[in-house]
Amino acid sequence: MAGNLKPVASLLLVLNFCMYAIVAAIGGWAIDFAIDHGFIIASGLVLPAQFSPVFFPMGNAATGFFVIFALIASVVGAAAALAGFNHIRAWNSDSLPAAASSAVIAWTLTLLAMGLACKEIDLGGRNTRLRTMEAFMIILSATQLLYILAIHGAAAIRPRA
């Protein structure tokens, strides 16, 4: 039965890696756009009363926090996928702790970004790229959990030598 979970874990790992890469690309675009179109303050002017250091000219008040945490989660998730690829290749108990711990850290950061995505959805006023990031973070919160369960389930079923 442990061998039956290896293809499932492999599929989830590839799916998660691709989705984290897409979220990182869109998050990079959002940060670049915010830098190019954010506040420009001349030397004699003061900051506006509503100034936020996490200001993004698109979206709403939650956009800045969401983009930053989604970008962090996607980078950590992609790195966790590399540890996961090593575990899938070896598929033994020696490679499981690194894959599992990095996957759990990526999942918790993904949950944080998903919570901010839900807040951003609640506030409204987003463009299609931000909606794509939100959808991917919500989907990733589920698929990353399924991946963690698949690699832990295989370890629990496998007999000890």
Side-chain angles (χ1 to χ4, degrees), residues 51-62:
F51 176 74
S52 169
V54 195
F55 173 75
F56 276 66
M58 73 286 205
N60 52 44

Side-chain angles (χ1 to χ4, degrees), residues 143-155:
T143 58
Q144 186 72 12
L145 177 63
L146 291 175
Y147 166 71
I148 292 168
L149 293 174
I151 62 174
H152 276 90

